[in-house]
Each structure stands twice: as structure tokens, then as C-alpha cells.
Amino acid sequence: PVTAAATTALVALAASDHGPAGASATAELADAFCGRLEFGTAGLRGRLAAGPNRMNRAVVIRAAAGLAGYLRDALGESAEQAGPRVVIGYDARHGSAQFALDTAAVVTAAGGTAMLLPAPLPTPVLAFAVRHLRADAGVMVTASHNPAADSGYKVYLGGRVVTGAGRGAQLVPPADAAIAARMATVATVRAVPRATSGWQVLGDGVREAYLERVTLAGAARLRTGATAHGGPRIVLTPLHGVGGSTAVDALARAGFTDVHLVPEQADPDPDFPTAPFPNPEEPGVLDLALRSAQVLGADLVLALDPDADRCAVAVPTPGTGWRVLTGDEVGALLGEAAASRAQAGAVLASSVVSSRLLSKIAAARGVAHVTTLTGFKWIARVPGLVFGYEEALGYCVDPEGVRDKDGIAAAVQVAVLAEELADRGSSLTGALDDLARRHGLHATAQLSLRVDDLAQITAVMDRLRAAPPPTLAGSPVRVARDLAAGDGDLPPTDALAYVTADDDRVVVRPSGTEPKLKCYLEVITPVGPGDVSAARSVAGTRLAGLRADVATLVGA
């Protein structure tokens, strides 16, 4: 009814108003009904509104029907004895709880077992539940770090449907196409059977089991009694999302009790009043947290995105205020820690757009390293994985528990590492300097072009494919790779990579979740005798030149 009323109102406005309001309504109708919101490896993500090209109950019910049909096809005869088991989670955004209920109703009516998490909870709790409950699939209703107007529908596969290293990870081809094909067979959403009861609403047991798993990272710390002082003083922000209470509980169980939530951002709020773009990578998003940290004299700032699968880290620097670490820097720190305790057969993994430093860390430690496509649907299914990350603040620190990025588990491990380093007279930045001395200073940055029309991104990619840049930051481009044709062990993907004679690297790709063209920049500078700061200054100058050239190249 809500969707129908919104559509009726738009039609009436378009028909009656011949001015700007009517034109706007006409344009919205044209776009909302120009096709169907596409189901892919990111599931569904789009703006909350009426129309098949938007996120609404009709679209979600169709997606749930497609997923239920796919699962029955995949399970074959075993589905007759025991229908598909699906665990469903949701965040605190507008409409998320209803979308989760609709999914449960469709799965139940299709003969499956639907298990609904009891409240808005972080995405990592849902990802954990897929493996913990041996579910055949998991659905997380979330738009992650997108603006308040958006919603999303993320699908995980496991149980009897996916075995091996990919069990419990997000879906990859050809499963996405198979679900989309099943969705296409739904003649009318009104005809999709929906139960009015029969699904399970889970208790707090899954969250409790998740917390026990996450806080294993603090077990040794607890045994040594290192928690007598409550650990470093931590300022934590969940950015109006659902991760606050779970993260505080996880940190407390690991012995970190001096934790302070940013009050303006502590509780879930679907309107994100202090962060219109609630992504910790966006400029200004961490300002409130850094201000609180300054007032409280904190030792560490941890910021989660709204569904808590990403984690940003900031540390105080004498005389210069606070330094926000890049995703690559945190990935290197956690990767070094994982490699230092890795057993035989262990593997580290990072995405093709992430820093090349992790591969050097792995080689120095005698550990295998794998480069994957962007996204944890690829990173998390690497066999033997003990740690994986991508530069967009995502870290898979416990693949056996959560086959996805997990901001809460990463936050606990960063806190543990920070305290261990402090006990040795060092710090997170000191550890980064040590890595630079051993492997060279790897400086990275990102440049994004946000667009209103996705055709702009296509045009830029086409232009770069037709005419790659001859030089970048004054150095000849010696390698220009079109990853759409595949690259070594990497499957084809829409991305371009350039490496210069100075070993600077640029990767350009469209975002999979936002209307952005993303450019990933990296320079590597040797570190000679003495302070790392000199190498950092050189790298900063080269990175600025690279950024300026790439901005001109893509029109940012």
C-alpha cells in the first residue's frame, strides 16, 4: 500500500503540474520504472522509493522468491526432506525490519526454515550466523555506509549449497545470475506466497556466540592480567549505526573498559543527522570522534560504519593532533600480526586495489599471499585464509568465524595490538615505521569521481581504454592492463591498472555500490638510514603529483 500510494501521488503530480515539480515527478517515474533494480554479486542496493528500479517491499519480495527458488534448485532432492535454512538479519535503516519480515514470510511459505535475528544487528553477526547455524543462506538487509535514502539486500551462501572455503561468504557468479533468473519468473509479486507466521525469531544466543568468538583475540591479554588499568582510553563511534553496543561489549570482554561512545552518534538513527554520507572514509565524518578524543585525552579512536563491517582507526601524534590511518596501513599492521603467528599453509589475501605491502610482509614471513578481485566475496573464499583485507577499511581477521569483513573483530584486534606495542615502548605508528624500514614506504591514497549519471563513468572508462596515459607523475607508464580481459589468476573485472617506471601504481574502477568512479594510487619509496619522515615527505610529494595527474585524467 505504501509503494502504491507513492506511485499514485507521483503520477498525479506529473499529470497536474506543468512546472518544475511536475517535470521532476515525471523524471522520477521514468527512472523508477525504466527497468528492474539489478540483482548481482552485491545483491541489491538502491534508493528507497516506489518502482521496480528502487528498493521497496515489492522488489524485496521478488528477490526473496528468487532466492528461495534458487535454493530449492540447488538442494535438489534434499530440499524435499529438509527445505532451505535461511538466517535473516537487518540494520536500523528505514524499512529494513519490514524487508526482513517479508523475506522470512516468503522463505517460510516456500517450505524453508526462516530464522530471523531478534533486533537490528551488525552485518558481521549475520555473517557469523550463517556458519554458526549451518544455514544454507543468509540475508542481510543493509545499505552499509550509503546515505540514509538507500537500502540494500546482501546474500550469503553456505550450509548444503556452498562447501569449502566459500561456505558462509557472499555469493559470486553464477549464483547471482541464477537467482536473478528465478526472480524473472515471478509474474506478479501479488502472487508470491507469503506466510503470516511460522518463522523463528532467534534469541540473543547468536550474538552471544559471536561475542565469544570475537573476544578470543583478548584471551591471552586477560590471562596475563594486562587489563588491570582498563587498557588504552578509546573513543568509539558507530556513526548512528547498529554496531555501538555490540562493539562496546566485545571490547569490554577483551578487557578494554575505558571506552567512550561519541554521544551524538551512539544510538541507531536511520537519518544519520551528523553524517549524511556515513562512511568513515568521507572527509569530516570522523570530526566529532576526533574532537571527543582530544577532550578526553584518548589513546585511540575507532569508528565503525553503520552496519559495523568496516573500521577506521585514528591515533594521536605529538604536536600535530590526530592521524587517521589508511585502510592499507591498518591492513599492513593486522597482516603483520597475523603473519607473525601463522601456521604452515596459512594464506594472506588482499584485493587488487589494495597496497602491495601485504605481499611483501607475507614473503618476508614465509607465508603465501593471494591477490583477489575487489570485494570480500572474493577475499573471504581464498583457501587457507588467515587474514584478508581491502583498502576500503575492511578486514577479515577471523575467517573461520566470519567469512566477510568484520569491523568489530578488527576493532578488538587493533586495541590489543595497540596495547601490546605500548607495553614494548612502541605504537601503531612506530610499527608502521618499522614496516617501512623493512619493505619500503608504501603511501596510498584514493580519488573518487561521484556522478549523477552512470553514463559518465562508462565514458571515462571507454576513453581510458582507447588512450591510456603515456606518463603519470612525470614517470613513463610501462604497464597498462585492462582487467576486463582477466589478469593472471584474476577473473575479468571492469578495471584498468597502470604501473610507471618509478613503480607508482594507479587502478581505476567503477564502484560496485555507489555512483562513483574510484581511483587507487600507490607510490613506494625506499627508506634509507635515519628517520622514516624523510621518505614519507618524498612519498607525499610524489603521491600529490600522481593525484593531480589522475584527477585531470578522469575529470575529477
Side-chain angles (χ1 to χ4, degrees):
V2 173
T3 308
T7 306
T8 301
L10 273 175
V11 169
L13 182 59
S16 63
D17 190 307
H18 301 294
S24 176
T26 300
E28 171 62 16
L29 283 167
D31 189 54
F33 286 83
C34 69
R36 298 194 187 280
L37 198 62
E38 193 171 317
F39 188 95
T41 55
L44 294 168
R45 195 172 293 190
R47 187 149 53 87
L48 281 162
N53 197 32
R54 298 286 186 266
M55 283 294 294
N56 50 63
R57 292 186 67 194
V59 168
V60 166
I61 290 166
R62 186 183 296 273
L67 174 62
Y70 163 79
L71 292 174
R72 294 194 70 86
D73 292 344
L75 293 173
E77 292 183 3
S78 67
E80 301 305 320
Q81 285 80 44
R85 290 169 51 82
V86 181
V87 60
I88 304 158
Y90 56 100
D91 65 14
R93 287 173 179 264
H94 294 295
S96 290
Q98 182 62 59
F99 293 164
L101 281 171
D102 285 332
T103 301
V106 171
V107 170
T108 302
T113 299
M115 300 168 284
L116 189 65
L117 292 183
L121 285 167
T123 291
V125 176
L126 183 280
F128 169 81
V130 175
R131 290 172 67 87
H132 179 67
L133 299 175
R134 297 181 173 86
D136 298 310
V139 171
M140 183 66 195
V141 181
T142 181
S144 189
H145 56 279
N146 278 36
D150 291 353
S151 185
Y153 196 84
K154 186 183 293 187
V155 176
Y156 298 77
L157 296 177
R160 296 167 290 168
V161 176
V162 174
T163 59
R167 177 177 277 168
Q170 295 177 56
L171 82 170
V172 295
D176 58 332
I179 294 172
R182 267 298 198 157
M183 289 170 62
T185 67
V186 177
T188 169
V189 171
R190 198 178 296 247
V192 174
R194 281 182 284 149
T196 56
S197 62
W199 54 83
Q200 301 175 24
V201 178
L202 301 171
D204 199 43
V206 170
R207 180 179 179 272
E208 182 67 25
Y210 167 78
L211 285 168
E212 288 180 10
R213 180 88 199 186
V214 167
T215 52
L216 285 174
R221 183 176 179 277
L222 291 166
R223 284 196 298 274
T224 60
T227 62
H229 53 76
R233 174 163 292 183
I234 298 170
V235 165
L236 171 70
T237 175
L239 292 181
H240 303 295
V242 294
S245 62
T246 302
V248 169
D249 287 351
L251 287 162
R253 292 184 187 206
F256 298 99
T257 55
D258 195 358
V259 178
H260 305 263
L261 282 166
V262 176
E264 300 93 332
Q265 300 173 331
D267 297 323
D269 187 330
D271 294 318
F272 304 104
T274 70
F277 292 95
N279 181 348
E281 293 180 290
E282 292 282 345
V285 170
L286 299 185
D287 285 357
L288 280 174
L290 297 178
R291 204 172 302 146
S292 293
Q294 194 69 33
V295 170
L296 291 167
D299 305 299
L300 186 65
V301 169
L302 300 171
L304 306 174
D305 72 337
D307 70 329
D309 63 353
R310 300 170 190 240
C311 177
V313 178
V315 293
T317 53
T320 59
W322 284 81
R323 174 178 166 187
V324 180
L325 303 185
T326 67
D328 284 317
E329 288 174 326
V330 177
L333 290 168
L334 294 176
E336 168 69 12
S340 69
R341 58 179 181 264
Q343 305 294 315
V347 179
L348 305 184
S350 52
S351 68
V352 68
V353 300
S354 301
S355 171
R356 291 164 284 179
L357 177 56
L358 189 66
S359 64
K360 295 182 180 179
I361 290 170
R365 291 284 186 178
V367 177
H369 174 268
V370 172
T371 299
T372 74
L373 294 183
T374 304
F376 275 82
K377 57 185 173 285
W378 301 109
I379 294 171
R381 62 194 341 109
V382 170
L385 184 71
V386 296
F387 172 75
Y389 95 96
E390 65 180 9
E391 54 72 46
L393 309 181
Y395 318 98
C396 180
V397 298
D398 177 24
E400 289 306 306
V402 175
R403 285 268 161 183
D404 198 1
K405 56 186 178 291
D406 184 343
I408 293 171
V412 170
Q413 293 207 11
V414 167
V416 170
L417 180 59
E419 185 173 53
E420 288 176 348
L421 288 165
D423 288 344
R424 300 202 299 264
S426 185
S427 63
L428 295 177
T429 52
L432 286 170
D433 287 350
D434 289 342
L435 288 173
R437 293 184 187 98
R438 293 201 294 272
H439 306 296
L441 181 69
H442 291 61
T444 60
Q446 187 186 127
L447 175 71
S448 294
L449 171 65
R450 185 180 287 273
V451 301
D452 294 323
D453 183 358
L454 292 177
Q456 291 176 253
I457 292 177
T458 302
V460 172
M461 294 296 287
D462 288 346
R463 177 164 51 76
L464 292 178
R465 285 191 166 100
T471 63
L472 287 168
S475 180
V477 172
R478 60 177 175 83
V479 176
R481 302 197 306 271
D482 186 349
L483 304 188
D487 186 61
D489 294 331
L490 290 177
T493 188
D494 187 11
L496 300 166
Y498 308 109
V499 181
T500 72
D502 287 340
D503 209 21
D504 298 340
R505 188 189 67 176
V506 174
V507 180
V508 183
R509 61 176 281 271
S511 170
T513 57
E514 298 178 89
K516 284 182 178 180
L517 182 70
K518 303 180 88 171
C519 307
Y520 306 85
L521 321 176
E522 180 177 38
V523 303
I524 303 174
T525 305
V527 178
D531 198 341
V532 179
S533 59
R536 198 176 300 282
S537 177
V538 171
T541 300
R542 271 182 39 204
L543 198 59
L546 195 62
R547 184 185 183 92
D549 281 2
V550 172
T552 300
L553 198 64
V554 302

